[in-house]
């Protein structure tokens, strides 16, 4: 009996030892971080605007880059080497092909956010398509029936891939010349944030996420991938801004200091009625389309206005050089968009 008890005790101790080993291995698997090394990576490039016609073909590659954020060299992801990725400008009604190559460390897809695409190309893994494994490719056929601002981004591990820089805009130019007001220029702007700890992007884990929903709040905010975004403007210019919030969790309450903004559209294109706004709230994934008139030379701050604090997101420098043509009369009037009303 005594020997039997000793054997049982030894077996139980051995079981506990083995259990501890398996638990440790499980913990290691669940806490294994994605690489943060920047060695050998190319520098992130400036974003390009690419105009495509009906039937156009565009190659889009997701890969790693290195980028300096507030003095910290960090490892990030980029489409075609830029953060944000290329802005694809296409005419309303056009059909294009986007050849996606996945050169990242996770399986991925591309979701064309807000675009009414065929189900096979919606980018939802294992529902509308198979996930694109690292090193593999997939061709997306995209049709754009609606004018406005839309965007593309991953639809797998959004917390990681989106946070690290995989996002870009579609700007769909309307068929009707009177769909939008006449302006001097159109500027697409992404609003984002990122969490930096000890000089690196706070870790992500390969086999688990440790944040609710899609992600987390960052401690550094940036505009079009930059912490010191600057836009040069001529005196008298009217500019239409396409704001897209690509942050995983943070809403932005956007304002341009001392400038009255006209809200003309959002997620689904032009609004039925235009409105004057001192600030416009843009939640994650949303778009806000506003027009602004810069009639006086000087420096104007792009701001995120919260109840506790106003954050600077960049600056607009207006020179004394006059714009080639002014659209001030059109800007000063709020319009009802008859085409939108008719479509409703």
């Amino acid at each position: 009996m005594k020997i039997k008890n000793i054997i049982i005790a030894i077996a139980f101790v051995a079981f506990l030892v083995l259990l501890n080993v398996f638990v440790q291995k499980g913990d290691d698997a669940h806490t294994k971080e994605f690489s943060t090394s920047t060695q050998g990576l190319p520098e992130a490039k400036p974003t390009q605007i690419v105009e495509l016609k009906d039937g156009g073909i565009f190659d889009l590659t997701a890969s790693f880059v290195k980028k300096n954020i507030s003095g910290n060299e960090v490892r990030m992801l980029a489409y075609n080497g830029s953060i944000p990725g290329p802005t694809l400008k296409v005419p309303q009604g056009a059909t294009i092909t986007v050849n996606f190559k996945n050169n990242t460390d996770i399986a991925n897809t591309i979701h064309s956010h807000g675009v009414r695409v065929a189900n096979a190309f919606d980018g939802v893994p294992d529902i509308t398509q198979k996930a694109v494994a690292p090193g593999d490719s997939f061709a997306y056929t995209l049709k754009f029936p609606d004018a406005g601002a839309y965007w593309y981004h991953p639809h797998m591990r959004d917390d990681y891939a989106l946070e690290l820089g995989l996002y870009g805009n579609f700007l769909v130019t309307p068929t009707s010349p009177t769909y939008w007001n006449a302006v001097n220029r159109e500027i697409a702007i992404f609003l984002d944030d990122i969490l930096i700890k000890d000089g690196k992007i706070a870790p992500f884990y390969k086999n688990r996420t440790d944040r609710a929903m899609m992600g987390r709040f960052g401690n550094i905010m940036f505009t079009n991938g930059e912490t010191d975004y600057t836009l040069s403007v001529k005196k008298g210019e009217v500019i239409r801004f396409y704001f897209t919030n690509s942050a995983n969790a943070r809403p932005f309450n956007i304002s341009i200091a001392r400038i009255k903004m006209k809200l003309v559209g959002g997620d689904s294109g032009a609004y039925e009625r235009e409105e004057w706004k001192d600030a416009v709230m843009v939640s994650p994934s949303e778009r806000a389309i506003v027009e602004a008139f810069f009639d006086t030379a000087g420096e104007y701050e792009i701001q995120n206005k919260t109840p506790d604090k106003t954050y600077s997101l960049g600056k607009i420098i207006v020179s004394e050089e006059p714009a080639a043509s002014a659209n001030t009369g059109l800007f000063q009037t709020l319009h009802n968009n008859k085409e939108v009303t008719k479509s409703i």
Side-chain angles (χ1 to χ4, degrees), residues 67-70 72 74-77 83 159-165 167 191-197 200-202 204 216-222 225 227 246-248 250 252:
K67 188 172 178 63
N68 190 291
I69 298 178
S70 297
N72 304 295
V74 296
R75 177 186 178 96
M76 298 190 74
L77 287 163
I83 303 171
D159 64 313
Y160 166 67
L162 188 59
E163 171 92 343
L164 263 63
Y167 50 82
L191 308 167
D192 203 357
D193 66 357
I194 200 160
L195 184 60
I196 303 289
K197 288 185 176 180
K200 296 180 180 179
I201 297 173
F204 289 98
R216 60 196 181 188
F217 281 88
N219 53 9
I220 294 176
M221 287 176 270
F222 42 69
T227 55
S246 57
N248 284 10
R250 181 187 300 277
F252 287 86

Side-chain angles (χ1 to χ4, degrees), residues 293-307:
F293 172 47
F294 298 92
D295 62 341
T296 304
E299 186 174 304
Y300 300 84
E301 192 175 59
I302 304 172
Q303 300 174 332
N304 177 25
K305 303 183 79 169
T306 76

Side-chain angles (χ1 to χ4, degrees), residues 35-68:
S35 173
T36 58
S37 172
T38 60
Q39 186 174 1
L41 295 179
E43 295 277 356
K45 301 182 296 186
T47 303
Q48 292 184 320
I49 298 175
V50 179
E51 294 196 24
L52 297 171
K53 296 179 180 179
D54 185 26
I57 300 173
F58 187 73
D59 295 331
L60 190 70
T61 300
S63 61
F64 288 99
V65 296
K66 61 183 177 183
K67 188 172 178 63
N68 190 291

